[in-house]
């Protein structure tokens, strides 16, 4: 049955291809498609650039994609993008892999502000899921570059989320939007309400989201995966004030709280009676001033002041244990950035700027006897009152001359890390309990060249150096990390990457093709290394070291073809091969060959889509993968999913629906701690009043 449906889908695509010349296209559809092909991006270069003229590989998710497909979470919205792979340790998480790297080796940003902080973990983490999916306007991903543009951690690339902006209007008006969504088997109940006010000088938007996710049902024989459900609520507000014709001030605040988020694999595979985060909170507040200058060397000035507060309480107890534990980590982050856009002449522009971020970490742990109720205060996961300061200056230059586009830039980054206490368990030998004051620094550069062969084609090549400075998570962690017990490490240096790529793009009113091959060398990789002969509570002890080097190489391809007036074909695929040359074994967690194909129909009111997502078997495993209880023995099996979507919109009403995993296949994305969703259906209804 499954093969029959896929054959019919492929035949339908061939039929649509055959009709391209026969039916032709109207001027309206051509213009619309071309506009979509030429959408402006900013993340790869820190300045406005069309995709065809950007000399780096990039992805973009638009607001229409987000509204139409009603992605459950922010990281799940990235599923199927060429060069991007999404791992889920638990149902409340989601970590994007970009060119084979994830966690603190990929930089995540919101509205130009770093959310990677001093406790961003090595390997997959849940932090992108603390961005409310309903607040997102678009997402841009720069693959293989970003350290010069945005600083530490952008070794695999940059994922930048842009939240919805209120627009100015000639006449004052209001807009109210209410959205509700439900999923089968009680897997989701979501409600979202927002209000927007527009005028010539002031624009405001505000909203509230409340969600409840039930336990996740897997495919075929997996069934209900308990415990995996959790709750979530979020509030957001943004104000834009046009101070005059040349200056706009934006004030914004977002807050998200997740409740009772279980770590499924800990309960099922590590003998825990329960293990969950409650609550997990993230708040971001910022003020941005954009000034349009009158002088060429100060054409545009952007100042941003930001404040972030992230906290997590972990509550866990092992089976048949007499003690339970409460761990709380809190990170307060302050940031100040200034970017100056200048025009030397009509062919040469440049961005220069300074950035400062400051993190303060508070961490504690309680051991509570469940019989007597007595509590013993212990050292937290991180050293309490640790701090990290991040200073950097950069200059990025953009050149255009006839058919050539060039980019070149440099950034100097200095960190000041202070850890007052590296207390370790007494049974761990060879580790000193001394304060650490550490000042790592890096100088990175990039260069890229693009040649526009004609009005539709371009080729580009780029070279980017990247780095990631060791953070407080690397140097100060004491406790459970994945399936290990980790102890602090004081002698670390930045890990580095050297990334080269060659790419090609074709963009016409009806067809957009892009492809790239890349090679990334990595040196001084910070990895966990086993402390021989040491165990704590049955867990093997590890610590971080700059002990390895390696490489990742691969190829990526994407296609967007308007095959007929109402029909489009979307497709993308990526392959990555990683090798740890120090240990002569594969790099950890490298995703398998994976991709997506979608056939899409749309007219004025109706939209339909059939989507195929796939991943091949991943049997190239590092020793760390073999030791990871989330990866099946011998590797992660391949999978092939079929999803169906439909939507209808008329005036104030929009109805959207979907059926996921039509054939109810059992599957798990490589490295995840929980199986993917089985056959399920969802329905979303949106009312809009103006």
């Amino acid at each position: 049955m499954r093969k029959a449906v896929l054959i019919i889908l492929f035949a339908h695509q061939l039929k649509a291809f055959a009709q391209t010349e026969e039916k032709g296209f109207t001027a309206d559809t051509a213009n619309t498609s071309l506009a979509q092909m030429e959408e402006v991006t900013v993340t790869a270069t820190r300045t406005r650039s069309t995709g065809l003229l950007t000399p780096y590989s990039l992805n973009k998710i638009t607001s229409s994609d987000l509204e139409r497909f009603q992605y459950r979470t922010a990281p799940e919205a990235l599923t199927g993008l060429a060069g991007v792979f999404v791992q889920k340790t638990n149902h409340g998480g989601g970590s994007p892999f970009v060119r084979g790297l994830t966690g603190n080796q990929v930089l995540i940003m919101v509205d130009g502000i770093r959310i990677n902080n001093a406790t961003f973990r090595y390997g997959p983490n849940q932090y992108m899921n603390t961005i409310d999916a309903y607040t997102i306007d678009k997402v841009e991903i720069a693959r293989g570059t970003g350290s010069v543009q945005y600083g530490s951690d952008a070794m695999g690339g940059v994922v930048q989320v842009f939240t919805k902006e209120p627009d100015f209007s000639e006449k004052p008006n209001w807009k109210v939007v209410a959205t509700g969504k439900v999923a089968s088997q009680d897997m989701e109940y979501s409600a979202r309400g927002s209000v927007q006010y527009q005028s010539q000088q002031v624009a405001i938007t505000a909203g509230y989201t409340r969600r409840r996710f039930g336990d996740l049902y897997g495919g075929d024989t997996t069934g209900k995966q308990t415990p995996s459900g959790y709750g979530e609520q979020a509030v957001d507000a943004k104000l834009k004030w046009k101070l005059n014709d040349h200056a706009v001030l934006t004030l914004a605040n977002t807050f998200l709280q997740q409740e009772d988020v279980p770590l499924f694999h800990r309960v099922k595979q590590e003998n825990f009676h329960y293990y969950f985060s409650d609550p997990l909170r993230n708040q971001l507040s910022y003020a941005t001033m954009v000034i349009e200058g009158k002088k060429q060397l100060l054409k545009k000035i952007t100042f941003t002041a930001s404040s972030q507060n992230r906290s997590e309480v972990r509550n866990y107890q092992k089976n048949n244990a007499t003690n339970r534990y409460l761990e709380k980590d809190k990170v307060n982050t302050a940031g100040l950035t200034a970017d100056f856009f200048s025009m030397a002449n009509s062919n040469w522009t440049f961005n220069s700027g300074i950035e400062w971020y400051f993190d303060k970490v508070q961490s504690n742990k309680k051991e509570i006897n469940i019989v007597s109720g007595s509590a013993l205060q212990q050292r937290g996961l991180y050293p309490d009152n640790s701090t990290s300061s991040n200073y950097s200056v950069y200059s990025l230059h953009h050149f255009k001359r006839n058919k050539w586009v060039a980019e070149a830039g440099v950034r100097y980054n200095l960190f000041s890390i202070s850890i007052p206490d590296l207390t370790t368990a007494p049974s761990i030998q060879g580790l000193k309990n001394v304060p650490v004051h550490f000042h790592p620094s890096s100088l990175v550069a990039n260069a890229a060249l693009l040649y526009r062969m004609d009005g539709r084609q371009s080729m580009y090549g780029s070279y980017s150096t990247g780095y990631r400075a060791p953070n407080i998570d690397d140097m100060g962690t004491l406790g459970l990390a994945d399936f290990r017990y980790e102890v602090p490490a004081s002698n670390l240096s930045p890990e580095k990457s050297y990334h080269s790529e060659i790419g090609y793009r074709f963009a016409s009113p009806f067809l957009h093709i892009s492809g790239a091959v890349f090679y990334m060398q990595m040196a001084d990789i910070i990895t966990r290394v086993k402390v021989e002969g040491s165990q704590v509570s049955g867990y093997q002890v590890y610590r971080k070291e700059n002990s390895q080097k390696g490489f990742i190489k691969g190829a990526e391809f994407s296609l967007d073809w308007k095959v007929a007036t109402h029909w489009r074909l979307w497709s993308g695929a990526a392959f990555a091969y990683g090798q740890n040359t120090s240990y002569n074994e594969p790099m950890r967690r490298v995703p398998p060959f994976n991709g997506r194909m979608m056939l899409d129909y749309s007219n004025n009111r109706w939209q339909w889509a059939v989507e195929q997502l796939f991943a091949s078997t991943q049997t190239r495993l590092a020793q760390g993968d073999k030791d990871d209880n989330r990866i099946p023995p011998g590797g992660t099996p391949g999978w092939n999913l079929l999803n169906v979507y439909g939507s209808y919109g008329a005036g104030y009403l929009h109805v959207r629906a979907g059926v996921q995993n039509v054939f109810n296949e059992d599957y798990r994305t490589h490295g995840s701690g929980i199986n993917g969703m089985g056959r399920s259906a969802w329905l979303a209804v949106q009312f809009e009043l103006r």
Side-chain angles (χ1 to χ4, degrees):
M1 177 63 181
R2 180 184 312 176
K3 292 182 178 179
V5 172
L6 294 176
I7 291 172
I8 292 171
L9 172 59
F10 184 66
H12 203 162
Q13 295 166 7
L14 293 178
K15 180 180 177 181
F17 298 161
Q19 292 174 340
T20 301
E21 295 297 330
E22 179 182 332
K23 287 191 174 183
F25 300 90
T26 67
D28 288 342
T29 58
N31 290 336
T32 299
S33 182
L34 182 60
Q36 291 172 341
M37 302 287 186
E38 294 295 314
E39 283 185 343
V40 172
T41 63
V42 298
T43 299
T45 60
R46 288 197 78 117
T47 189
R48 294 169 62 85
S49 175
T50 63
L52 189 63
L53 297 181
T54 302
Y56 301 103
S57 296
L58 52 90
N59 308 90
K60 186 170 183 178
I61 303 172
T62 65
S63 57
S64 59
D65 296 331
L66 294 163
E67 290 182 357
R68 182 179 174 191
F69 299 112
Q70 292 286 303
Y71 298 109
R72 192 183 70 88
T73 66
E76 289 180 16
L78 311 184
T79 302
L81 297 180
V84 182
F85 192 75
V86 179
Q87 180 268 10
K88 290 178 59 175
T89 295
N90 61 329
H91 195 37
S95 188
F97 279 72
V98 181
R99 290 195 166 169
L101 299 179
T102 192
N104 54 24
Q105 294 176 324
V106 171
L107 178 60
I108 299 176
M109 306 184 71
V110 175
D111 294 338
I113 300 165
R114 299 171 54 93
I115 71 167
N116 289 43
N117 62 23
T119 63
F120 246 59
R121 294 198 306 273
Y122 168 77
N125 58 53
Q126 77 276 29
Y127 302 120
M128 191 175 178
N129 202 21
T130 60
I131 303 171
D132 184 5
Y134 282 108
T135 66
I136 301 174
D137 179 60
K138 63 179 179 179
V139 183
E140 293 181 3
I141 303 168
R143 307 194 302 271
T145 189
S147 287
V148 173
Q149 298 91 319
Y150 299 104
S152 178
D153 301 9
M155 298 176 66
V158 179
V159 178
Q160 179 153 207
V161 174
F162 295 90
T163 59
K164 293 177 180 178
E165 294 275 351
D167 297 320
F168 296 111
S169 175
E170 289 296 321
K171 295 181 179 180
N173 65 76
W174 291 84
K175 181 171 73 172
V176 178
V177 179
T179 302
K181 181 185 176 186
V182 297
S184 59
Q185 297 168 295
D186 295 323
M187 282 193 288
E188 180 178 351
Y189 295 96
S190 295
R192 163 75 176 176
S194 65
V195 59
Q196 181 173 300
Y197 171 76
Q198 298 170 296
S199 68
Q200 288 185 352
Q201 289 188 300
V202 176
I204 304 172
T205 184
Y208 175 75
T209 304
R210 181 65 190 179
R211 316 185 75 178
R212 181 65 207 176
F213 301 105
D215 285 332
L216 176 62
Y217 281 78
D220 196 12
T221 59
T222 298
K224 188 176 183 179
Q225 299 175 92
T226 302
S228 56
Y230 64 98
E232 181 178 295
Q233 59 180 321
V235 62
D236 59 277
K238 183 179 291 188
L239 178 148
K240 291 178 68 176
W241 182 11
K242 186 183 292 185
L243 302 178
N244 54 48
D245 291 339
H246 305 286
V248 174
L249 173 66
T250 300
L251 303 175
N253 180 75
T254 62
F255 172 81
L256 184 140
Q257 175 174 290
Q258 292 183 334
E259 303 140 356
D260 299 322
V261 185
L263 208 56
F264 175 78
H265 76 282
R266 283 270 167 90
V267 175
K268 292 301 180 181
Q269 296 178 270
E270 297 183 19
N271 195 34
F272 278 87
H273 179 50
Y274 59 82
Y275 194 113
F276 57 88
S277 297
D278 182 34
L280 174 61
R281 294 176 178 148
N282 186 49
Q283 181 171 12
L284 167 63
S285 304
Y286 68 86
T288 297
M289 175 75 78
V290 179
I291 303 171
E292 301 290 343
K294 297 181 180 180
K295 297 182 179 181
Q296 294 294 91
L297 291 181
L298 289 176
K299 196 66 177 176
K300 183 179 179 181
I301 307 170
T302 304
F303 297 107
T304 299
S306 61
S307 173
Q308 299 179 63
N309 300 280
R310 181 177 296 129
S311 64
E312 179 179 9
V313 176
R314 292 177 297 278
N315 190 341
Y316 58 90
Q317 179 188 350
K318 285 214 162 184
N319 287 317
N320 303 315
T322 57
N323 296 318
R324 65 182 183 92
Y325 296 87
L326 282 176
E327 294 182 346
K328 183 176 182 179
D329 303 323
K330 184 176 181 180
V331 184
N332 294 322
T333 304
L336 292 173
T337 66
D339 181 84
F340 306 92
F341 178 71
S342 306
M343 296 184 66
N345 55 51
S346 59
N347 297 318
W348 175 19
T349 63
F350 54 95
N351 292 75
S352 300
I354 57 176
E355 297 181 349
W356 170 77
Y357 289 90
F358 175 80
D359 296 328
K360 183 172 183 179
V361 179
Q362 296 173 301
S363 183
N364 61 72
K365 178 180 180 180
K366 287 183 180 180
E367 180 185 83
I368 303 171
N369 187 286
I370 61 174
V371 178
S372 66
S374 61
L376 176 64
Q377 194 74 36
Q378 297 182 347
R379 193 261 207 196
L381 183 63
Y382 306 114
D384 197 30
N385 293 318
S386 299
T387 62
S388 175
S389 297
N390 175 350
Y391 312 88
S392 61
V393 294
Y394 63 87
S395 186
L396 300 164
H397 295 257
H398 326 288
F399 306 93
K400 294 183 180 181
R401 180 73 175 180
N402 298 325
K403 294 185 177 182
W404 294 92
V405 174
E407 296 277 335
V410 63
R411 175 184 288 254
Y412 176 72
N413 213 158
L414 172 66
F415 286 78
S416 179
I417 301 171
S418 178
I419 301 177
D421 182 11
L422 281 181
T423 303
T424 62
S427 61
I428 309 303
Q429 302 299 319
L431 297 173
K432 297 179 180 179
N433 177 21
V434 295
V436 173
H437 302 284
F438 189 53
H439 304 281
S441 63
S442 285
L443 179 67
V444 290
N446 65 3
L449 186 64
L450 178 144
Y451 177 69
R452 186 165 184 169
M453 293 176 281
D454 54 34
R456 296 182 175 183
Q457 300 179 83
S458 64
M459 291 193 66
Y460 61 93
S462 71
Y463 178 78
S464 299
T465 60
Y467 71 104
R468 186 184 73 81
N471 62 17
I472 292 171
D473 177 80
D474 295 313
M475 302 177 68
T477 295
L478 175 67
L480 289 178
D482 294 334
F483 50 91
R484 314 168 180 86
Y485 191 93
E486 188 169 326
V487 296
S490 59
N491 298 312
L492 297 175
S493 59
E495 50 187 7
K496 302 177 180 67
S497 65
Y498 309 91
H499 193 284
S500 304
E501 70 172 338
I502 298 174
Y504 167 82
R505 291 192 183 94
F506 176 89
S508 77
F510 320 117
L511 178 64
H512 187 193
I513 298 174
S514 64
V517 294
F518 68 90
Y519 183 83
M520 175 169 51
Q521 291 180 296
M522 302 175 67
D524 296 325
I525 303 172
I526 299 174
T527 58
R528 296 185 179 109
V529 177
K530 184 184 295 186
V531 179
E532 295 295 342
S534 295
Q535 288 191 346
V536 174
S537 302
Y539 288 90
Q540 176 63 50
V541 173
Y542 287 76
R543 65 183 171 193
K544 301 271 184 55
E545 293 182 3
N546 292 100
S547 60
Q548 299 174 25
K549 60 182 179 179
F551 67 84
I552 300 175
K553 61 183 179 180
E556 300 152 350
F557 169 81
S558 63
L559 174 147
D560 174 6
W561 189 352
K562 189 154 187 166
V563 295
T565 303
H566 299 291
W567 294 89
R568 297 176 81 99
L569 176 69
W570 311 73
S571 184
F575 168 79
Y577 178 96
Q579 184 70 11
N580 184 323
T581 55
S582 297
Y583 289 178
N584 192 28
E585 66 172 9
M587 292 285 287
R588 281 213 64 193
R589 302 188 184 94
V590 173
F593 175 62
N594 65 91
R596 177 178 75 160
M597 181 169 61
M598 177 184 289
L599 183 65
D600 182 14
Y601 170 86
S602 63
N603 61 23
N604 292 333
R605 295 187 176 183
W606 290 95
Q607 293 179 312
W608 301 94
V610 179
E611 175 187 53
Q612 179 191 13
L613 294 169
F614 69 88
S616 65
T617 300
Q618 180 56 288
T619 57
R620 295 194 74 250
L621 304 178
Q623 185 59 48
D625 295 328
K626 296 175 183 178
D627 295 338
D628 193 335
N629 56 22
R630 294 168 296 187
I631 297 177
T636 305
W639 44 267
N640 198 323
L641 309 179
L642 190 70
N643 303 322
V644 180
Y645 305 96
S647 62
Y648 172 82
Y652 62 87
L653 176 65
H654 293 270
V655 180
R656 303 176 177 96
V659 178
Q660 295 177 269
N661 196 355
V662 172
F663 296 108
N664 203 32
E665 181 168 349
D666 267 327
Y667 77 101
R668 176 174 291 199
T669 56
H670 184 58
S672 295
I674 192 167
N675 282 1
M677 187 175 293
R679 184 189 298 118
S680 61
W682 58 264
L683 174 68
V685 179
Q686 177 180 300
F687 294 92
E688 183 176 314
L689 300 177
R690 291 179 180 268

